[in-house]
Amino acid sequence: MELLLPDSGDAQAQIERLRNATLKPFDADILAFFGDFSQRVLADTGLRQYPELVALGYWFRPAAVARLRERHVHLAEGGVLRPRGVALHYAPSNVDSVFVYSWFLSLACGNRNIIRLSARSAGARRAALFDLLTALLQDPRHARIAAATAVVSFAHDDTQNAALACDCHLRVTWGGDAAVNALRRVALPPLATELVFPNRESWALLDASTVLAADETTFEAHLRGFYNDAFWFAQQACSSPRALAWVGTQETVRRAQLRFWDGLRAYLHRRGEFSDASELANRLVATHVAAAAVPAQSLEGSLADWPLRISSDALDPLQREQHCGYGLFYEVQRDSLAECVALFAPQDQTVAYWGFSRETLIDWAQSLGDRCVDRVVPLGKALQFSDRWDGQDLLQSFSRLVSID
């Protein structure tokens, strides 16, 4: 097992030290650490090429952390919110910043944290983030946070997983069904609990009449929002839309699609972005496999297009399973919002919308099936992390309520 943070020393020794560290929720040292992290990220011009890291710095700025603290106080009404103890996090390999959100929110609640990262997530973006975190944790002002942290990396190993699990109070698994199923074979102590974030998929929900009526400024703003949602992580993030549900008559939707996709292609061209050969190959394989099993779909344009669009009557399980990301979009048309309800499945997490009022969406969400859809957000905010995720209130889940009558 390799120790990555707070330094490159002995991983086992750091984990032993960590178990004796003590923190209280939102104590002064935790707030100082968040403030320093945010200031350094936002001041680092080299990080500006990674907008998701800038978003991370913005998320943990002092004003935002103060709002989290207020909510934590509110959740503690009727008693005291205590830390869980030792939280063991398994981070996903496809989105570098998720492990920081999970770690920092758990830290805010006063937990000591062991975070296992995949060696597969190494890259320039992670290296830049680690340089900053290493400098921060080696600052003597943040010694208590460093003592309560172990970021480690090791190959999948049930023996190692069991050794870490035996003394943890909360296990947090990000990264999909396979990771969740594999770790659930490793028993937790009876009083420990777990949070799991399995495979999820997401949609965009667009009102065709709104798209057609939008002035150029509004239209461009929503195109940028869709680009951010779908292209930042090449649709590999669970909250990135992989399918679009269009609401309107067939003719209205056809005209709205023409404006939307022409505008998006022009936007991609202005940004100088192009799809590479490996992404094209992935899209072609996914499209052909799905087409062989799901005849009720039709190609819009050419197979070489980027983005690649497929019209479908619904989203078949095989289309979901074979979806590779990288600019592949399924599109479904319905005459009304109510008719969209049946499109959504339990694995659907986020719906990024344009053209519907909040009140309309509240009524609509009441009609969704069991476990379908956990987040409904405006287009452009699909990737924005929240302390409420996958239907879980993370501040509450990272804490233990001691009720006092």
Side-chain angles (χ1 to χ4, degrees):
M1 179 163 56
E2 180 186 4
L3 183 64
L4 305 176
L5 292 173
D7 53 41
S8 56
D10 185 321
Q12 198 56 49
Q14 175 64 16
I15 289 171
E16 290 304 318
R17 280 195 295 272
L18 170 151
R19 297 189 192 286
N20 297 318
T22 56
L23 293 168
K24 291 182 179 179
F26 293 92
D27 79 17
D29 285 347
I30 294 173
L31 298 181
F33 178 72
F34 290 159
D36 205 359
F37 171 81
S38 175
Q39 190 275 329
R40 292 192 190 201
V41 169
L42 297 178
D44 189 332
T45 55
L47 291 182
R48 290 177 189 169
Q49 60 182 310
Y50 307 118
E52 66 277 20
L53 299 187
V54 176
L56 191 57
Y58 191 72
W59 213 90
F60 285 98
R61 71 196 188 283
V65 173
R67 286 194 288 274
L68 285 177
R69 188 181 187 184
E70 286 175 12
R71 209 168 70 72
H72 188 271
V73 169
H74 176 72
L75 288 171
E77 287 180 0
V80 176
L81 274 189
R82 295 291 315 281
R84 289 272 181 189
V86 175
L88 171 61
H89 308 252
Y90 286 84
S93 60
N94 58 339
V95 181
D96 290 324
S97 53
V98 164
F99 89 89
V100 180
Y101 286 110
S102 189
W103 164 24
F104 280 16
L105 277 173
S106 176
L107 174 64
C109 295
N111 295 302
R112 292 96 76 195
N113 296 280
I114 304 168
I115 306 104
R116 185 264 179 188
L117 297 186
S118 166
R120 287 187 298 151
S121 61
R125 181 167 43 204
R126 196 177 92 169
L129 178 60
F130 266 63
D131 286 346
L132 188 145
L133 287 169
T134 300
L136 203 57
L137 289 169
Q138 291 180 356
D139 186 327
R141 293 176 302 151
H142 303 308
R144 288 184 67 216
I145 309 303
T149 302
V151 179
V152 299
S153 181
F154 57 87
H156 286 295
D157 177 347
D158 280 355
T159 302
Q160 186 66 72
N161 290 330
L164 290 172
C166 69
D167 288 325
C168 83
H169 304 94
L170 170 66
R171 184 170 63 196
V172 186
T173 306
W174 302 81
D177 294 354
V180 170
N181 291 332
L183 287 166
R184 277 186 167 166
R185 293 197 298 267
V186 179
L188 287 170
L191 285 175
T193 189
E194 70 173 341
L195 282 175
V196 296
F197 300 94
N199 291 347
R200 305 303 300 273
E201 295 158 8
S202 295
W203 291 69
L205 177 66
L206 306 178
D207 177 63
S209 295
T210 301
V211 173
L212 287 171
D215 59 44
E216 280 305 312
T217 301
T218 303
F219 183 69
E220 284 288 324
H222 284 81
L223 279 185
R224 284 196 302 276
F226 182 78
Y227 167 83
N228 293 345
D229 289 347
F231 289 82
W232 270 12
F233 295 110
Q235 294 175 290
Q236 304 304 305
C238 59
S239 55
S240 288
R242 294 185 159 202
L244 288 78
W246 289 93
V247 177
T249 66
Q250 289 187 358
E251 175 56 20
T252 308
V253 167
R254 187 193 64 76
R255 290 190 292 117
Q257 287 172 317
L258 188 64
R259 185 185 188 197
F260 184 83
W261 292 110
D262 281 352
L264 184 68
R265 279 188 287 270
Y267 182 70
L268 292 169
H269 182 74
R270 288 199 299 277
R271 291 183 58 89
E273 296 200 17
F274 301 93
S275 180
D276 66 29
S278 65
E279 294 177 350
L280 171 61
N282 276 299
R283 288 194 299 274
L284 293 178
V285 171
T287 305
H288 280 94
V289 172
V294 186
Q297 62 176 33
S298 59
L299 174 67
E300 300 292 337
S302 160
L303 278 171
D305 284 351
W306 183 67
L308 176 59
R309 299 169 50 208
I310 307 289
S311 287
S312 187
D313 186 50
L315 207 53
D316 185 272
L318 187 71
Q319 291 169 310
R320 292 175 178 270
E321 180 186 326
Q322 292 296 322
H323 202 300
C324 62
Y326 304 121
L328 170 62
F329 295 95
Y330 286 101
E331 296 181 89
V332 180
Q333 177 268 332
R334 291 291 187 270
D335 287 337
S336 67
L337 185 60
E339 292 174 73
C340 293
V341 167
L343 293 174
F344 296 95
Q347 63 265 44
D348 288 325
Q349 182 211 58
T350 296
V351 172
Y353 68 90
W354 181 16
F356 304 95
S357 69
R358 188 170 186 275
E359 292 71 23
T360 300
L361 291 168
I362 288 172
D363 288 341
W364 173 75
Q366 299 275 15
S367 63
L368 291 166
D370 290 346
R371 203 58 193 89
C372 298
V373 181
D374 290 319
R375 300 172 69 226
V376 182
V377 298
L379 201 66
K381 295 189 175 180
L383 294 182
Q384 287 188 6
F385 193 78
S386 168
D387 48 310
R388 299 173 178 93
W389 197 259
D390 269 14
Q392 299 277 355
D393 184 327
L394 296 181
L395 285 182
Q396 198 160 45
S397 298
F398 286 142
S399 305
R400 178 174 62 86
L401 178 64
V402 179
S403 61
I404 301 175
D405 292 336

